[in-house]
Amino acid sequence: MATHLPTTSVADIVRLGPVIPVLAFETAEQGEHVSRALYAGGVKVLEITLRTAAGLDAIQRASRIAPDIAVGVGTITKPEQCALAKQAGAQFGVSPGLTREMHDASIEAGLPLLPGVMTPSDIILAMELGYEIVKFFPAVPAGGIAMLNAFHGPFPTLKFCPTGGITPESATNFLALPNVVCVGGSWLTPKAALAAQDWAEVTRLARAASELSRPVR
């Protein structure tokens, strides 16, 4: 069994790669194949969501692939999911939004959290709770690059991982922003490739994503 990375915070995790794939699997077996294919392409951070029943089992399998892989749980919408994900082997959590109850549950579970924000009020709550890196979701529908530029004025120290509607073509423009540390995306696992079990295609897309440039900060 692989030993988990000694990551202690979301800041450690987002430095591992410019793109965090957002994943939803039909089965745990599919999840393991895809996770291995992504890792073979140089992607070392995975966000496996709880949008399907296979999520927790897929997290457990993916966390055993290699000692330098960081597997997170995505789509946390209930506080109790933090402990369940931690038990399954998740090293961090990602949520579409944030409540104080969810924050407390993540601390109790020992699960570093990347909370979702969309508005200035969301951001102020996150900063009050001590977050320095947040997920901007849904990024493109909520204003995309223009909104992130607008946030930089009143919140100059806050860093973002925009997710939602980002493409391989737009990812570089997001990564060039001074307040963006990485992006989340689902384009690394197209439905056609998964249906055909074309793991080589997943690895190809992962390699291209892992080579995207981002400013050194």
Side-chain angles (χ1 to χ4, degrees):
M1 181 183 298
T3 302
H4 286 319
L5 276 169
T7 47
T8 57
S9 69
V10 167
D12 296 323
I13 291 164
V14 298
R15 293 190 185 102
L16 296 176
V19 180
I20 299 177
V22 180
L23 309 165
F25 299 125
E26 295 179 3
T27 66
E29 290 78 11
Q30 181 190 60
E32 183 171 357
H33 283 299
V34 172
S35 297
R36 289 186 181 278
L38 289 167
Y39 182 79
V43 172
K44 297 183 178 181
V45 184
L46 310 178
E47 178 191 336
I48 299 177
T49 70
L50 298 181
R51 298 177 188 178
T52 68
L56 290 175
D57 287 341
I59 288 168
Q60 189 172 50
R61 292 192 183 203
S63 66
R64 298 172 177 170
I65 288 174
D68 60 344
I69 194 169
V71 181
V73 55
T75 321
I76 293 178
T77 58
K78 300 176 182 178
E80 58 267 25
Q81 292 172 329
C82 294
L84 293 173
K86 182 71 173 182
Q87 292 166 9
Q91 292 173 262
F92 68 101
V94 185
S95 62
L98 178 64
T99 65
R100 292 182 183 273
E101 291 78 11
M102 188 179 297
H103 168 75
D104 292 341
S106 70
I107 291 176
E108 185 174 348
L111 187 74
L113 186 63
L114 178 64
V117 302
M118 190 179 75
T119 69
S121 294
D122 296 338
I123 290 173
I124 290 170
L125 171 61
M127 294 180 72
E128 283 181 355
L129 294 173
Y131 292 95
E132 298 177 347
I133 303 173
V134 294
K135 169 183 174 178
F136 178 44
F137 178 82
V140 172
I145 288 173
M147 185 67 85
L148 286 164
N149 275 324
F151 284 154
H152 191 48
F155 310 111
T157 63
L158 194 65
K159 303 300 182 183
F160 294 87
C161 172
T163 304
I166 297 175
T167 66
E169 294 75 27
S170 65
T172 300
N173 293 330
F174 277 93
L175 290 167
L177 297 176
N179 54 351
V180 169
V181 290
C182 64
V183 300
S186 58
W187 76 83
L188 283 71
T189 54
K191 291 181 179 179
L194 268 57
Q197 299 186 21
D198 188 353
W199 313 132
E201 174 65 4
V202 173
T203 295
R204 185 189 70 80
L205 292 169
R207 188 170 293 115
S210 65
E211 292 173 354
L212 287 174
S213 62
R214 59 178 175 178
V216 178
R217 302 186 182 106

